[in-house]
Amino acid sequence: MKNTPNISAAEWEVMKICWLKSAPCTANEIVKALEQSTDWKPNTIKTLIGRLVKKGALGFKEEGRVYMYNQLVTEQDCIQAESKSFLTRVFGGALKPMLVTFLQEEKLSQEDIEELKQLLEERKA
């Protein structure tokens, strides 16, 4: 995981569109996708795109009068960085208390429990 920029919740929504498309997309494509799921105005979305470019999360290529935006960081890298940040901020970096909290508070299906058991067994080996 390289230097992953700190991405706000709103910026995360823009990145999800870019990750979903996986190919370069225009600002208008991002705006159209987000207008369906948010009440944000086009200028707000374009501001978020600009912030992501400044942070190094998105790159762009000018094709005539159109800017094509592409992700410079992977979704997995951002998930890992966000997970570490959350773990450090909320649980002082300790994984066990976080797992215990989630296991006590969240409902798990039998399938979820079996998958977690398998993951723990694999880590044991």
Side-chain angles (χ1 to χ4, degrees), residues 3-34:
N3 273 345
T4 306
N6 185 16
I7 296 173
S8 72
E11 292 164 347
W12 195 274
E13 294 303 313
V14 173
M15 290 302 296
K16 284 196 298 193
I17 300 301
C18 296
W19 289 321
L20 184 65
K21 289 191 174 272
S22 74
C25 49
T26 65
N28 286 339
E29 290 172 325
I30 297 169
V31 167
K32 186 175 179 181
L34 286 172

PDB file of all heavy atoms in Angstrom, residues 3-34:
ATOM      1  N   ASN A   3       1.409   5.575  -0.489  1.00  0.00           N
ATOM      2  CA  ASN A   3       0.808   6.704   0.220  1.00  0.00           C
ATOM      3  C   ASN A   3      -0.623   6.894  -0.262  1.00  0.00           C
ATOM      4  O   ASN A   3      -0.853   7.435  -1.340  1.00  0.00           O
ATOM      5  CB  ASN A   3       1.607   7.985  -0.043  1.00  0.00           C
ATOM      6  CG  ASN A   3       2.742   8.147   0.926  1.00  0.00           C
ATOM      7  OD1 ASN A   3       2.790   7.475   1.944  1.00  0.00           O
ATOM      8  ND2 ASN A   3       3.655   9.036   0.612  1.00  0.00           N
ATOM      9  N   THR A   4      -1.561   6.484   0.542  1.00  0.00           N
ATOM     10  CA  THR A   4      -2.971   6.596   0.186  1.00  0.00           C
ATOM     11  C   THR A   4      -3.512   7.870   0.804  1.00  0.00           C
ATOM     12  O   THR A   4      -3.387   8.073   2.010  1.00  0.00           O
ATOM     13  CB  THR A   4      -3.748   5.368   0.709  1.00  0.00           C
ATOM     14  OG1 THR A   4      -3.109   4.190   0.226  1.00  0.00           O
ATOM     15  CG2 THR A   4      -5.174   5.385   0.230  1.00  0.00           C
ATOM     16  N   PRO A   5      -4.127   8.723  -0.013  1.00  0.00           N
ATOM     17  CA  PRO A   5      -4.643   9.980   0.535  1.00  0.00           C
ATOM     18  C   PRO A   5      -5.820   9.764   1.472  1.00  0.00           C
ATOM     19  O   PRO A   5      -6.549   8.772   1.355  1.00  0.00           O
ATOM     20  CB  PRO A   5      -5.082  10.759  -0.716  1.00  0.00           C
ATOM     21  CG  PRO A   5      -5.282   9.738  -1.771  1.00  0.00           C
ATOM     22  CD  PRO A   5      -4.382   8.587  -1.440  1.00  0.00           C
ATOM     23  N   ASN A   6      -5.991  10.680   2.396  1.00  0.00           N
ATOM     24  CA  ASN A   6      -7.133  10.655   3.302  1.00  0.00           C
ATOM     25  C   ASN A   6      -8.350  11.157   2.526  1.00  0.00           C
ATOM     26  O   ASN A   6      -8.373  12.291   2.063  1.00  0.00           O
ATOM     27  CB  ASN A   6      -6.842  11.548   4.516  1.00  0.00           C
ATOM     28  CG  ASN A   6      -7.927  11.461   5.550  1.00  0.00           C
ATOM     29  OD1 ASN A   6      -8.746  10.553   5.537  1.00  0.00           O
ATOM     30  ND2 ASN A   6      -7.941  12.417   6.452  1.00  0.00           N
ATOM     31  N   ILE A   7      -9.337  10.310   2.394  1.00  0.00           N
ATOM     32  CA  ILE A   7     -10.510  10.624   1.571  1.00  0.00           C
ATOM     33  C   ILE A   7     -11.727  10.784   2.470  1.00  0.00           C
ATOM     34  O   ILE A   7     -12.016   9.899   3.293  1.00  0.00           O
ATOM     35  CB  ILE A   7     -10.731   9.499   0.538  1.00  0.00           C
ATOM     36  CG1 ILE A   7      -9.545   9.437  -0.420  1.00  0.00           C
ATOM     37  CG2 ILE A   7     -12.021   9.712  -0.233  1.00  0.00           C
ATOM     38  CD1 ILE A   7      -9.579   8.254  -1.360  1.00  0.00           C
ATOM     39  N   SER A   8     -12.435  11.899   2.311  1.00  0.00           N
ATOM     40  CA  SER A   8     -13.643  12.143   3.113  1.00  0.00           C
ATOM     41  C   SER A   8     -14.775  11.229   2.650  1.00  0.00           C
ATOM     42  O   SER A   8     -14.709  10.599   1.589  1.00  0.00           O
ATOM     43  CB  SER A   8     -14.081  13.605   2.972  1.00  0.00           C
ATOM     44  OG  SER A   8     -14.623  13.821   1.667  1.00  0.00           O
ATOM     45  N   ALA A   9     -15.841  11.192   3.436  1.00  0.00           N
ATOM     46  CA  ALA A   9     -17.000  10.356   3.090  1.00  0.00           C
ATOM     47  C   ALA A   9     -17.602  10.773   1.744  1.00  0.00           C
ATOM     48  O   ALA A   9     -17.959   9.919   0.922  1.00  0.00           O
ATOM     49  CB  ALA A   9     -18.046  10.441   4.195  1.00  0.00           C
ATOM     50  N   ALA A  10     -17.707  12.058   1.491  1.00  0.00           N
ATOM     51  CA  ALA A  10     -18.263  12.533   0.219  1.00  0.00           C
ATOM     52  C   ALA A  10     -17.332  12.174  -0.944  1.00  0.00           C
ATOM     53  O   ALA A  10     -17.791  11.734  -2.007  1.00  0.00           O
ATOM     54  CB  ALA A  10     -18.487  14.041   0.278  1.00  0.00           C
ATOM     55  N   GLU A  11     -16.037  12.354  -0.725  1.00  0.00           N
ATOM     56  CA  GLU A  11     -15.069  12.011  -1.771  1.00  0.00           C
ATOM     57  C   GLU A  11     -15.091  10.506  -2.049  1.00  0.00           C
ATOM     58  O   GLU A  11     -14.898  10.067  -3.176  1.00  0.00           O
ATOM     59  CB  GLU A  11     -13.663  12.459  -1.358  1.00  0.00           C
ATOM     60  CG  GLU A  11     -13.519  13.960  -1.309  1.00  0.00           C
ATOM     61  CD  GLU A  11     -12.280  14.432  -0.552  1.00  0.00           C
ATOM     62  OE1 GLU A  11     -11.632  13.624   0.156  1.00  0.00           O
ATOM     63  OE2 GLU A  11     -11.961  15.625  -0.671  1.00  0.00           O
ATOM     64  N   TRP A  12     -15.348   9.727  -1.004  1.00  0.00           N
ATOM     65  CA  TRP A  12     -15.438   8.270  -1.156  1.00  0.00           C
ATOM     66  C   TRP A  12     -16.537   7.916  -2.165  1.00  0.00           C
ATOM     67  O   TRP A  12     -16.387   7.006  -2.982  1.00  0.00           O
ATOM     68  CB  TRP A  12     -15.713   7.639   0.208  1.00  0.00           C
ATOM     69  CG  TRP A  12     -15.468   6.164   0.243  1.00  0.00           C
ATOM     70  CD1 TRP A  12     -16.354   5.197  -0.111  1.00  0.00           C
ATOM     71  CD2 TRP A  12     -14.270   5.485   0.620  1.00  0.00           C
ATOM     72  NE1 TRP A  12     -15.780   3.963   0.035  1.00  0.00           N
ATOM     73  CE2 TRP A  12     -14.512   4.108   0.486  1.00  0.00           C
ATOM     74  CE3 TRP A  12     -13.030   5.926   1.068  1.00  0.00           C
ATOM     75  CZ2 TRP A  12     -13.551   3.152   0.778  1.00  0.00           C
ATOM     76  CZ3 TRP A  12     -12.074   4.965   1.371  1.00  0.00           C
ATOM     77  CH2 TRP A  12     -12.333   3.595   1.221  1.00  0.00           C
ATOM     78  N   GLU A  13     -17.654   8.648  -2.130  1.00  0.00           N
ATOM     79  CA  GLU A  13     -18.759   8.395  -3.064  1.00  0.00           C
ATOM     80  C   GLU A  13     -18.323   8.625  -4.508  1.00  0.00           C
ATOM     81  O   GLU A  13     -18.694   7.866  -5.399  1.00  0.00           O
ATOM     82  CB  GLU A  13     -19.973   9.270  -2.723  1.00  0.00           C
ATOM     83  CG  GLU A  13     -20.614   8.945  -1.393  1.00  0.00           C
ATOM     84  CD  GLU A  13     -21.063   7.497  -1.272  1.00  0.00           C
ATOM     85  OE1 GLU A  13     -21.714   6.986  -2.211  1.00  0.00           O
ATOM     86  OE2 GLU A  13     -20.753   6.866  -0.242  1.00  0.00           O
ATOM     87  N   VAL A  14     -17.536   9.654  -4.736  1.00  0.00           N
ATOM     88  CA  VAL A  14     -17.003   9.922  -6.081  1.00  0.00           C
ATOM     89  C   VAL A  14     -16.070   8.791  -6.492  1.00  0.00           C
ATOM     90  O   VAL A  14     -16.157   8.273  -7.618  1.00  0.00           O
ATOM     91  CB  VAL A  14     -16.269  11.284  -6.132  1.00  0.00           C
ATOM     92  CG1 VAL A  14     -15.576  11.478  -7.478  1.00  0.00           C
ATOM     93  CG2 VAL A  14     -17.236  12.429  -5.855  1.00  0.00           C
ATOM     94  N   MET A  15     -15.203   8.387  -5.588  1.00  0.00           N
ATOM     95  CA  MET A  15     -14.247   7.317  -5.901  1.00  0.00           C
ATOM     96  C   MET A  15     -14.966   6.006  -6.213  1.00  0.00           C
ATOM     97  O   MET A  15     -14.543   5.266  -7.106  1.00  0.00           O
ATOM     98  CB  MET A  15     -13.251   7.119  -4.754  1.00  0.00           C
ATOM     99  CG  MET A  15     -12.258   8.251  -4.573  1.00  0.00           C
ATOM    100  SD  MET A  15     -11.239   8.597  -6.033  1.00  0.00           S
ATOM    101  CE  MET A  15     -10.317   7.079  -6.186  1.00  0.00           C
ATOM    102  N   LYS A  16     -16.071   5.720  -5.519  1.00  0.00           N
ATOM    103  CA  LYS A  16     -16.809   4.486  -5.792  1.00  0.00           C
ATOM    104  C   LYS A  16     -17.291   4.445  -7.238  1.00  0.00           C
ATOM    105  O   LYS A  16     -17.261   3.394  -7.868  1.00  0.00           O
ATOM    106  CB  LYS A  16     -17.991   4.332  -4.830  1.00  0.00           C
ATOM    107  CG  LYS A  16     -17.558   3.899  -3.439  1.00  0.00           C
ATOM    108  CD  LYS A  16     -18.692   3.359  -2.582  1.00  0.00           C
ATOM    109  CE  LYS A  16     -19.774   4.334  -2.291  1.00  0.00           C
ATOM    110  NZ  LYS A  16     -20.703   3.885  -1.229  1.00  0.00           N
ATOM    111  N   ILE A  17     -17.699   5.591  -7.759  1.00  0.00           N
ATOM    112  CA  ILE A  17     -18.134   5.653  -9.162  1.00  0.00           C
ATOM    113  C   ILE A  17     -16.944   5.345 -10.065  1.00  0.00           C
ATOM    114  O   ILE A  17     -17.047   4.558 -11.006  1.00  0.00           O
ATOM    115  CB  ILE A  17     -18.719   7.045  -9.505  1.00  0.00           C
ATOM    116  CG1 ILE A  17     -19.924   7.386  -8.633  1.00  0.00           C
ATOM    117  CG2 ILE A  17     -19.064   7.145 -10.986  1.00  0.00           C
ATOM    118  CD1 ILE A  17     -21.086   6.432  -8.713  1.00  0.00           C
ATOM    119  N   CYS A  18     -15.809   5.941  -9.782  1.00  0.00           N
ATOM    120  CA  CYS A  18     -14.614   5.732 -10.606  1.00  0.00           C
ATOM    121  C   CYS A  18     -14.131   4.285 -10.520  1.00  0.00           C
ATOM    122  O   CYS A  18     -13.732   3.700 -11.531  1.00  0.00           O
ATOM    123  CB  CYS A  18     -13.505   6.698 -10.191  1.00  0.00           C
ATOM    124  SG  CYS A  18     -13.932   8.422 -10.483  1.00  0.00           S
ATOM    125  N   TRP A  19     -14.152   3.706  -9.334  1.00  0.00           N
ATOM    126  CA  TRP A  19     -13.740   2.310  -9.178  1.00  0.00           C
ATOM    127  C   TRP A  19     -14.700   1.380  -9.902  1.00  0.00           C
ATOM    128  O   TRP A  19     -14.293   0.402 -10.513  1.00  0.00           O
ATOM    129  CB  TRP A  19     -13.655   1.919  -7.702  1.00  0.00           C
ATOM    130  CG  TRP A  19     -12.518   2.534  -6.967  1.00  0.00           C
ATOM    131  CD1 TRP A  19     -11.247   2.742  -7.427  1.00  0.00           C
ATOM    132  CD2 TRP A  19     -12.527   3.024  -5.628  1.00  0.00           C
ATOM    133  NE1 TRP A  19     -10.475   3.328  -6.452  1.00  0.00           N
ATOM    134  CE2 TRP A  19     -11.233   3.504  -5.336  1.00  0.00           C
ATOM    135  CE3 TRP A  19     -13.505   3.094  -4.636  1.00  0.00           C
ATOM    136  CZ2 TRP A  19     -10.893   4.051  -4.107  1.00  0.00           C
ATOM    137  CZ3 TRP A  19     -13.167   3.640  -3.414  1.00  0.00           C
ATOM    138  CH2 TRP A  19     -11.873   4.108  -3.154  1.00  0.00           C
ATOM    139  N   LEU A  20     -15.991   1.687  -9.852  1.00  0.00           N
ATOM    140  CA  LEU A  20     -17.003   0.860 -10.497  1.00  0.00           C
ATOM    141  C   LEU A  20     -16.811   0.851 -12.008  1.00  0.00           C
ATOM    142  O   LEU A  20     -16.875  -0.194 -12.645  1.00  0.00           O
ATOM    143  CB  LEU A  20     -18.402   1.368 -10.132  1.00  0.00           C
ATOM    144  CG  LEU A  20     -19.578   0.564 -10.647  1.00  0.00           C
ATOM    145  CD1 LEU A  20     -19.578  -0.827 -10.011  1.00  0.00           C
ATOM    146  CD2 LEU A  20     -20.882   1.274 -10.336  1.00  0.00           C
ATOM    147  N   LYS A  21     -16.559   2.016 -12.561  1.00  0.00           N
ATOM    148  CA  LYS A  21     -16.373   2.113 -14.013  1.00  0.00           C
ATOM    149  C   LYS A  21     -15.045   1.514 -14.453  1.00  0.00           C
ATOM    150  O   LYS A  21     -14.934   1.033 -15.558  1.00  0.00           O
ATOM    151  CB  LYS A  21     -16.479   3.562 -14.463  1.00  0.00           C
ATOM    152  CG  LYS A  21     -17.876   4.101 -14.384  1.00  0.00           C
ATOM    153  CD  LYS A  21     -17.986   5.432 -15.090  1.00  0.00           C
ATOM    154  CE  LYS A  21     -19.395   5.921 -15.143  1.00  0.00           C
ATOM    155  NZ  LYS A  21     -20.123   5.449 -16.301  1.00  0.00           N
ATOM    156  N   SER A  22     -14.049   1.608 -13.628  1.00  0.00           N
ATOM    157  CA  SER A  22     -12.679   1.119 -13.853  1.00  0.00           C
ATOM    158  C   SER A  22     -11.972   1.748 -15.051  1.00  0.00           C
ATOM    159  O   SER A  22     -10.768   1.794 -15.094  1.00  0.00           O
ATOM    160  CB  SER A  22     -12.614  -0.410 -13.908  1.00  0.00           C
ATOM    161  OG  SER A  22     -13.140  -0.910 -15.111  1.00  0.00           O
ATOM    162  N   ALA A  23     -12.702   2.243 -16.022  1.00  0.00           N
ATOM    163  CA  ALA A  23     -12.088   2.949 -17.151  1.00  0.00           C
ATOM    164  C   ALA A  23     -12.215   4.445 -16.892  1.00  0.00           C
ATOM    165  O   ALA A  23     -13.034   4.872 -16.077  1.00  0.00           O
ATOM    166  CB  ALA A  23     -12.806   2.574 -18.440  1.00  0.00           C
ATOM    167  N   PRO A  24     -11.400   5.245 -17.547  1.00  0.00           N
ATOM    168  CA  PRO A  24     -11.542   6.697 -17.354  1.00  0.00           C
ATOM    169  C   PRO A  24     -12.971   7.169 -17.632  1.00  0.00           C
ATOM    170  O   PRO A  24     -13.657   6.627 -18.503  1.00  0.00           O
ATOM    171  CB  PRO A  24     -10.564   7.280 -18.372  1.00  0.00           C
ATOM    172  CG  PRO A  24      -9.554   6.204 -18.589  1.00  0.00           C
ATOM    173  CD  PRO A  24     -10.323   4.918 -18.467  1.00  0.00           C
ATOM    174  N   CYS A  25     -13.424   8.155 -16.852  1.00  0.00           N
ATOM    175  CA  CYS A  25     -14.765   8.685 -17.045  1.00  0.00           C
ATOM    176  C   CYS A  25     -14.734  10.206 -16.979  1.00  0.00           C
ATOM    177  O   CYS A  25     -13.818  10.795 -16.415  1.00  0.00           O
ATOM    178  CB  CYS A  25     -15.739   8.105 -16.029  1.00  0.00           C
ATOM    179  SG  CYS A  25     -15.193   8.161 -14.320  1.00  0.00           S
ATOM    180  N   THR A  26     -15.739  10.811 -17.542  1.00  0.00           N
ATOM    181  CA  THR A  26     -15.819  12.268 -17.558  1.00  0.00           C
ATOM    182  C   THR A  26     -16.498  12.765 -16.286  1.00  0.00           C
ATOM    183  O   THR A  26     -17.171  11.999 -15.589  1.00  0.00           O
ATOM    184  CB  THR A  26     -16.649  12.763 -18.767  1.00  0.00           C
ATOM    185  OG1 THR A  26     -18.003  12.317 -18.597  1.00  0.00           O
ATOM    186  CG2 THR A  26     -16.086  12.246 -20.085  1.00  0.00           C
ATOM    187  N   ALA A  27     -16.332  14.049 -16.024  1.00  0.00           N
ATOM    188  CA  ALA A  27     -17.009  14.663 -14.880  1.00  0.00           C
ATOM    189  C   ALA A  27     -18.522  14.524 -15.032  1.00  0.00           C
ATOM    190  O   ALA A  27     -19.226  14.254 -14.059  1.00  0.00           O
ATOM    191  CB  ALA A  27     -16.610  16.130 -14.748  1.00  0.00           C
ATOM    192  N   ASN A  28     -19.014  14.663 -16.250  1.00  0.00           N
ATOM    193  CA  ASN A  28     -20.458  14.550 -16.482  1.00  0.00           C
ATOM    194  C   ASN A  28     -20.968  13.147 -16.171  1.00  0.00           C
ATOM    195  O   ASN A  28     -22.078  12.996 -15.657  1.00  0.00           O
ATOM    196  CB  ASN A  28     -20.820  14.936 -17.921  1.00  0.00           C
ATOM    197  CG  ASN A  28     -20.746  16.430 -18.132  1.00  0.00           C
ATOM    198  OD1 ASN A  28     -20.802  17.210 -17.186  1.00  0.00           O
ATOM    199  ND2 ASN A  28     -20.612  16.844 -19.381  1.00  0.00           N
ATOM    200  N   GLU A  29     -20.178  12.120 -16.461  1.00  0.00           N
ATOM    201  CA  GLU A  29     -20.575  10.753 -16.127  1.00  0.00           C
ATOM    202  C   GLU A  29     -20.639  10.569 -14.613  1.00  0.00           C
ATOM    203  O   GLU A  29     -21.552   9.926 -14.086  1.00  0.00           O
ATOM    204  CB  GLU A  29     -19.609   9.734 -16.741  1.00  0.00           C
ATOM    205  CG  GLU A  29     -19.715   9.638 -18.255  1.00  0.00           C
ATOM    206  CD  GLU A  29     -18.625   8.785 -18.873  1.00  0.00           C
ATOM    207  OE1 GLU A  29     -17.476   8.788 -18.361  1.00  0.00           O
ATOM    208  OE2 GLU A  29     -18.916   8.116 -19.878  1.00  0.00           O
ATOM    209  N   ILE A  30     -19.665  11.141 -13.923  1.00  0.00           N
ATOM    210  CA  ILE A  30     -19.648  11.054 -12.451  1.00  0.00           C
ATOM    211  C   ILE A  30     -20.836  11.816 -11.879  1.00  0.00           C
ATOM    212  O   ILE A  30     -21.538  11.317 -10.984  1.00  0.00           O
ATOM    213  CB  ILE A  30     -18.310  11.587 -11.886  1.00  0.00           C
ATOM    214  CG1 ILE A  30     -17.144  10.721 -12.373  1.00  0.00           C
ATOM    215  CG2 ILE A  30     -18.354  11.636 -10.359  1.00  0.00           C
ATOM    216  CD1 ILE A  30     -15.761  11.301 -12.107  1.00  0.00           C
ATOM    217  N   VAL A  31     -21.090  13.020 -12.396  1.00  0.00           N
ATOM    218  CA  VAL A  31     -22.225  13.829 -11.943  1.00  0.00           C
ATOM    219  C   VAL A  31     -23.524  13.070 -12.152  1.00  0.00           C
ATOM    220  O   VAL A  31     -24.356  12.972 -11.237  1.00  0.00           O
ATOM    221  CB  VAL A  31     -22.268  15.195 -12.677  1.00  0.00           C
ATOM    222  CG1 VAL A  31     -23.595  15.905 -12.463  1.00  0.00           C
ATOM    223  CG2 VAL A  31     -21.106  16.081 -12.227  1.00  0.00           C
ATOM    224  N   LYS A  32     -23.715  12.508 -13.333  1.00  0.00           N
ATOM    225  CA  LYS A  32     -24.952  11.789 -13.653  1.00  0.00           C
ATOM    226  C   LYS A  32     -25.160  10.606 -12.695  1.00  0.00           C
ATOM    227  O   LYS A  32     -26.257  10.390 -12.196  1.00  0.00           O
ATOM    228  CB  LYS A  32     -24.917  11.295 -15.094  1.00  0.00           C
ATOM    229  CG  LYS A  32     -26.191  10.675 -15.564  1.00  0.00           C
ATOM    230  CD  LYS A  32     -26.125  10.323 -17.036  1.00  0.00           C
ATOM    231  CE  LYS A  32     -27.429   9.678 -17.471  1.00  0.00           C
ATOM    232  NZ  LYS A  32     -27.396   9.306 -18.888  1.00  0.00           N
ATOM    233  N   ALA A  33     -24.104   9.865 -12.430  1.00  0.00           N
ATOM    234  CA  ALA A  33     -24.202   8.714 -11.524  1.00  0.00           C
ATOM    235  C   ALA A  33     -24.548   9.158 -10.105  1.00  0.00           C
ATOM    236  O   ALA A  33     -25.381   8.520  -9.434  1.00  0.00           O
ATOM    237  CB  ALA A  33     -22.899   7.928 -11.540  1.00  0.00           C
ATOM    238  N   LEU A  34     -23.935  10.243  -9.636  1.00  0.00           N
ATOM    239  CA  LEU A  34     -24.171  10.699  -8.261  1.00  0.00           C
ATOM    240  C   LEU A  34     -25.493  11.427  -8.098  1.00  0.00           C
ATOM    241  O   LEU A  34     -26.055  11.443  -7.005  1.00  0.00           O
ATOM    242  CB  LEU A  34     -23.005  11.555  -7.782  1.00  0.00           C
ATOM    243  CG  LEU A  34     -21.739  10.769  -7.464  1.00  0.00           C
ATOM    244  CD1 LEU A  34     -20.574  11.694  -7.176  1.00  0.00           C
ATOM    245  CD2 LEU A  34     -21.964   9.825  -6.297  1.00  0.00           C
TER     246      LEU A  34
END
